[in-house]
Coordinates of all heavy atoms in Angstrom, one line a residue:
L1 N 0.9 -1.2 0.0 CA 0.0 0.0 0.0 C 0.9 1.2 0.0 O 1.8 1.4 0.8 CB -0.8 0.0 1.3 CG -2.1 -0.9 1.4 CD1 -2.8 -0.6 2.7 CD2 -3.0 -0.7 0.2
I2 N 0.7 2.1 -1.0 CA 1.5 3.4 -1.0 C 0.3 4.4 -0.9 O -0.4 4.7 -1.8 CB 2.2 3.5 -2.3 CG1 3.2 2.4 -2.5 CG2 2.9 4.9 -2.3 CD1 4.0 2.3 -3.8
T3 N 0.2 5.0 0.2 CA -0.8 6.0 0.6 C -0.2 7.4 0.5 O 0.7 7.7 1.0 CB -1.4 5.8 2.0 OG1 -1.7 4.4 2.1 CG2 -2.6 6.7 2.3
I4 N -1.0 8.3 -0.2 CA -0.5 9.7 -0.5 C -1.6 10.7 -0.2 O -2.7 10.3 -0.4 CB 0.1 9.9 -1.8 CG1 -0.9 9.8 -3.0 CG2 1.3 9.0 -2.1 CD1 -0.4 10.1 -4.3
A5 N -1.2 11.8 0.2 CA -2.0 13.0 0.3 C -1.2 14.2 -0.1 O 0.0 14.4 0.2 CB -2.4 13.2 1.8
S6 N -1.9 15.1 -0.9 CA -1.2 16.3 -1.4 C -2.1 17.4 -1.4 O -3.3 17.3 -1.7 CB -0.7 16.0 -2.8 OG -0.1 17.1 -3.4
V7 N -1.5 18.6 -1.1 CA -2.3 19.9 -1.1 C -2.4 20.4 -2.4 O -3.2 21.4 -2.7 CB -1.9 20.9 -0.1 CG1 -2.0 20.3 1.3 CG2 -0.4 21.2 -0.3
S8 N -1.6 20.1 -3.4 CA -1.6 20.6 -4.8 C -1.9 19.7 -5.8 O -1.5 18.5 -5.9 CB -0.1 21.1 -5.0 OG 0.3 21.2 -6.3
S9 N -2.8 20.0 -6.7 CA -3.2 19.1 -7.7 C -2.1 18.7 -8.7 O -2.0 17.6 -9.0 CB -4.4 19.8 -8.6 OG -5.6 20.0 -7.8
E10 N -1.3 19.7 -9.0 CA -0.1 19.5 -9.8 C 0.8 18.4 -9.2 O 1.3 17.5 -9.8 CB 0.6 20.7 -10.2 CG 1.7 20.5 -11.1 CD 2.4 21.8 -11.5 OE1 1.7 22.7 -12.1 OE2 3.6 22.0 -11.2
N11 N 1.1 18.7 -7.9 CA 2.0 17.8 -7.2 C 1.4 16.4 -7.1 O 2.1 15.4 -7.2 CB 2.3 18.4 -5.8 CG 3.3 17.6 -5.0 OD1 4.2 16.8 -5.6 ND2 3.4 17.8 -3.7
H12 N 0.1 16.3 -6.9 CA -0.6 15.1 -6.7 C -0.5 14.2 -8.0 O -0.1 13.1 -7.8 CB -2.1 15.4 -6.5 CG -3.0 14.2 -6.3 ND1 -3.1 13.7 -5.0 CD2 -3.8 13.6 -7.1 CE1 -4.0 12.6 -5.2 NE2 -4.4 12.6 -6.4
I13 N -0.7 14.8 -9.1 CA -0.6 14.0 -10.4 C 0.9 13.7 -10.6 O 1.2 12.5 -11.0 CB -1.0 14.9 -11.6 CG1 -2.5 15.3 -11.4 CG2 -0.8 14.1 -12.9 CD1 -3.4 14.1 -11.4
D14 N 1.9 14.5 -10.3 CA 3.3 14.3 -10.5 C 3.7 13.1 -9.6 O 4.5 12.2 -10.1 CB 4.2 15.5 -10.2 CG 4.0 16.6 -11.3 OD1 3.6 16.3 -12.4 OD2 4.4 17.7 -11.0
L15 N 3.3 13.1 -8.3 CA 3.6 12.1 -7.5 C 3.1 10.7 -7.9 O 3.8 9.7 -7.8 CB 3.1 12.4 -6.1 CG 3.5 11.6 -4.9 CD1 5.1 11.5 -4.8 CD2 2.9 12.1 -3.6
I16 N 1.9 10.7 -8.3 CA 1.3 9.4 -8.8 C 2.1 8.9 -10.0 O 2.4 7.7 -10.1 CB -0.2 9.5 -9.1 CG1 -1.0 9.7 -7.7 CG2 -0.7 8.2 -9.8 CD1 -2.4 9.9 -7.9
T17 N 2.4 9.8 -10.9 CA 3.3 9.4 -12.0 C 4.6 8.9 -11.7 O 5.1 7.8 -12.2 CB 3.5 10.7 -13.0 OG1 2.1 11.2 -13.4 CG2 4.2 10.4 -14.2
Q18 N 5.2 9.5 -10.7 CA 6.6 9.0 -10.2 C 6.4 7.6 -9.6 O 7.3 6.7 -9.9 CB 7.2 10.0 -9.2 CG 7.7 11.2 -9.8 CD 8.2 12.1 -8.7 OE1 8.3 11.8 -7.5 NE2 8.7 13.3 -9.1
I19 N 5.4 7.4 -8.8 CA 5.2 6.2 -8.2 C 4.9 5.1 -9.3 O 5.5 4.0 -9.2 CB 4.1 6.2 -7.2 CG1 4.5 7.1 -6.0 CG2 3.6 4.8 -6.7 CD1 3.4 7.4 -5.0
M20 N 4.1 5.4 -10.2 CA 3.9 4.5 -11.3 C 5.1 4.0 -12.1 O 5.3 2.8 -12.4 CB 2.8 5.0 -12.3 CG 1.5 5.2 -11.7 SD 0.7 3.8 -11.0 CE 0.4 2.8 -12.4
K21 N 6.0 5.0 -12.3 CA 7.3 4.7 -13.0 C 8.1 3.7 -12.1 O 8.8 2.8 -12.5 CB 8.1 5.9 -13.3 CG 7.5 6.7 -14.4 CD 8.3 8.0 -14.7 CE 7.6 8.8 -15.7 NZ 8.3 10.1 -15.9
L22 N 8.1 3.9 -10.8 CA 8.9 3.1 -9.8 C 8.3 1.7 -9.8 O 9.1 0.8 -9.7 CB 8.9 3.7 -8.5 CG 9.8 5.0 -8.3 CD1 9.5 5.6 -7.0 CD2 11.3 4.6 -8.5
I23 N 7.0 1.6 -9.8 CA 6.3 0.3 -9.8 C 6.8 -0.6 -11.0 O 6.8 -1.8 -10.8 CB 4.8 0.5 -9.7 CG1 4.4 1.0 -8.3 CG2 4.1 -0.8 -10.0 CD1 3.0 1.4 -8.2
E24 N 7.1 0.0 -12.1 CA 7.6 -0.7 -13.2 C 8.9 -1.4 -13.1 O 9.2 -2.2 -13.8 CB 7.4 0.2 -14.5 CG 6.0 0.6 -14.9 CD 6.0 1.6 -16.0 OE1 7.1 1.9 -16.5 OE2 4.9 2.0 -16.4
D25 N 9.6 -0.9 -12.2 CA 11.0 -1.3 -11.9 C 11.0 -2.5 -10.9 O 10.7 -2.4 -9.8 CB 11.9 -0.2 -11.3 CG 13.3 -0.4 -11.1 OD1 13.7 -1.7 -11.1 OD2 14.1 0.5 -10.9
E26 N 11.3 -3.7 -11.5 CA 11.3 -4.9 -10.7 C 12.2 -4.9 -9.5 O 11.9 -5.3 -8.4 CB 11.6 -6.1 -11.6 CG 10.4 -6.5 -12.5 CD 10.7 -7.7 -13.3 OE1 11.4 -8.6 -12.8 OE2 10.3 -7.7 -14.5
S27 N 13.4 -4.3 -9.6 CA 14.3 -4.2 -8.5 C 13.9 -3.3 -7.3 O 14.0 -3.6 -6.2 CB 15.7 -3.8 -9.0 OG 15.7 -2.5 -9.6
F28 N 13.1 -2.3 -7.8 CA 12.4 -1.4 -6.8 C 11.5 -2.1 -6.0 O 11.3 -2.1 -4.8 CB 11.9 -0.1 -7.4 CG 11.1 0.8 -6.5 CD1 11.8 1.5 -5.6 CD2 9.8 0.8 -6.5 CE1 11.1 2.4 -4.7 CE2 9.1 1.5 -5.5 CZ 9.7 2.4 -4.7
M29 N 10.6 -2.9 -6.7 CA 9.5 -3.6 -6.1 C 10.0 -4.7 -5.1 O 9.5 -4.9 -4.1 CB 8.6 -4.2 -7.1 CG 7.9 -3.2 -8.0 SD 7.0 -2.0 -7.0 CE 5.8 -3.0 -6.1
E30 N 11.2 -5.3 -5.5 CA 11.8 -6.3 -4.7 C 12.3 -5.6 -3.4 O 12.2 -6.2 -2.4 CB 12.9 -7.0 -5.4 CG 13.4 -8.3 -4.9 CD 12.3 -9.4 -4.9 OE1 11.5 -9.4 -5.8 OE2 12.4 -10.2 -3.9
L31 N 12.9 -4.5 -3.6 CA 13.4 -3.7 -2.4 C 12.3 -3.4 -1.5 O 12.5 -3.5 -0.2 CB 14.1 -2.5 -2.9 CG 14.6 -1.5 -1.8 CD1 15.7 -2.1 -1.0 CD2 15.1 -0.2 -2.4
L32 N 11.1 -2.9 -2.0 CA 10.0 -2.6 -1.1 C 9.6 -3.8 -0.3 O 9.3 -3.7 0.8 CB 8.9 -2.2 -2.0 CG 8.7 -0.6 -2.3 CD1 7.4 -0.3 -3.0 CD2 8.8 0.3 -1.0
L33 N 9.5 -4.9 -1.0 CA 9.0 -6.1 -0.3 C 9.9 -6.7 0.7 O 9.5 -7.4 1.6 CB 8.6 -7.2 -1.4 CG 7.3 -6.8 -2.2 CD1 7.2 -7.8 -3.3 CD2 6.1 -6.9 -1.3
N34 N 11.2 -6.4 0.5 CA 12.2 -7.0 1.4 C 13.0 -6.0 2.3 O 14.0 -6.5 2.9 CB 13.2 -7.9 0.5 CG 12.4 -9.0 -0.2 OD1 11.8 -9.8 0.5 ND2 12.6 -9.1 -1.4
S35 N 12.6 -4.8 2.3 CA 13.3 -3.8 3.2 C 12.7 -3.7 4.5 O 11.6 -4.0 4.8 CB 13.3 -2.5 2.4 OG 12.0 -2.0 2.3
N36 N 13.6 -3.1 5.4 CA 13.1 -2.8 6.7 C 12.6 -1.4 6.8 O 12.6 -0.6 5.9 CB 14.3 -3.0 7.8 CG 15.5 -2.1 7.5 OD1 15.3 -1.0 7.1 ND2 16.7 -2.6 7.7
D37 N 12.2 -1.0 8.0 CA 11.6 0.4 8.1 C 12.5 1.5 7.7 O 12.1 2.5 7.2 CB 10.9 0.6 9.5 CG 9.7 -0.3 9.7 OD1 9.1 -0.7 8.7 OD2 9.3 -0.5 10.9
S38 N 13.7 1.5 8.2 CA 14.6 2.6 7.8 C 14.9 2.7 6.4 O 15.1 3.8 5.9 CB 15.9 2.5 8.7 OG 16.6 1.3 8.3
Q39 N 15.0 1.6 5.7 CA 15.1 1.6 4.3 C 14.0 2.1 3.6 O 14.1 2.9 2.7 CB 15.4 0.2 3.7 CG 16.8 -0.4 4.1 CD 16.9 -1.8 3.9 OE1 16.0 -2.6 4.1 NE2 18.1 -2.3 3.4
K40 N 12.8 1.9 4.1 CA 11.5 2.4 3.5 C 11.4 3.9 3.8 O 11.0 4.7 2.9 CB 10.3 1.7 4.1 CG 10.1 0.3 3.6 CD 8.8 -0.3 4.2 CE 8.7 -1.8 3.7 NZ 8.5 -2.7 4.7
D41 N 12.0 4.4 4.9 CA 12.0 5.9 5.1 C 12.9 6.5 4.1 O 12.5 7.6 3.5 CB 12.6 6.1 6.6 CG 11.6 5.9 7.7 OD1 10.4 5.7 7.4 OD2 12.0 5.8 8.8
Y42 N 14.0 5.9 3.7 CA 14.9 6.4 2.7 C 14.2 6.4 1.4 O 14.3 7.5 0.6 CB 16.1 5.6 2.6 CG 17.0 6.0 1.5 CD1 17.9 7.1 1.6 CD2 17.1 5.2 0.3 CE1 18.7 7.5 0.5 CE2 17.9 5.6 -0.8 CZ 18.7 6.7 -0.7 OH 19.5 7.1 -1.7
I43 N 13.4 5.4 1.0 CA 12.7 5.3 -0.2 C 11.7 6.5 -0.2 O 11.5 7.1 -1.2 CB 12.0 3.9 -0.3 CG1 13.0 2.8 -0.5 CG2 11.0 4.0 -1.6 CD1 12.5 1.5 -0.3
L44 N 10.9 6.7 0.8 CA 9.9 7.8 0.9 C 10.5 9.1 0.6 O 10.0 9.9 -0.1 CB 9.2 7.8 2.2 CG 8.2 6.7 2.5 CD1 7.8 6.7 3.9 CD2 7.1 6.7 1.5
K45 N 11.8 9.4 1.2 CA 12.4 10.6 1.0 C 12.8 10.8 -0.4 O 12.7 11.9 -1.0 CB 13.6 10.7 1.9 CG 13.2 10.9 3.4 CD 14.4 11.0 4.2 CE 14.0 11.0 5.6 NZ 15.1 10.9 6.6
R46 N 13.2 9.7 -1.1 CA 13.6 9.8 -2.5 C 12.4 10.0 -3.4 O 12.5 10.7 -4.4 CB 14.2 8.5 -3.0 CG 15.6 8.1 -2.3 CD 16.7 9.1 -2.8 NE 16.8 9.2 -4.2 CZ 17.7 8.6 -5.0 NH1 18.5 7.8 -4.4 NH2 17.7 8.7 -6.2

């Protein structure tokens, strides 16, 4: 589950677009499924 909230319509669309691109990357998805909480914090910041 990747939950988002944004105050800007433009930022909202851009963020969903970025996430969709990341989802296409198999190594990113593997990282998400196998990472610990501190690694997920780093991913969120990126």
Side-chain angles (χ1 to χ4, degrees):
L1 284 179
I2 303 172
T3 308
I4 62 172
S6 178
V7 293
S8 158
S9 294
E10 183 177 300
N11 187 18
H12 182 82
I13 299 297
D14 289 343
L15 187 57
I16 290 175
T17 301
Q18 287 179 4
I19 291 170
M20 295 302 290
K21 287 179 184 175
L22 288 170
I23 287 171
E24 294 174 3
D25 183 343
E26 288 182 32
S27 60
F28 175 77
M29 296 308 297
E30 197 63 33
L31 175 66
L32 271 186
L33 289 170
N34 297 308
S35 62
N36 62 36
D37 288 343
S38 63
Q39 291 167 320
K40 286 182 185 128
D41 286 343
Y42 175 76
I43 293 167
L44 289 172
K45 288 176 187 171
R46 294 291 307 262

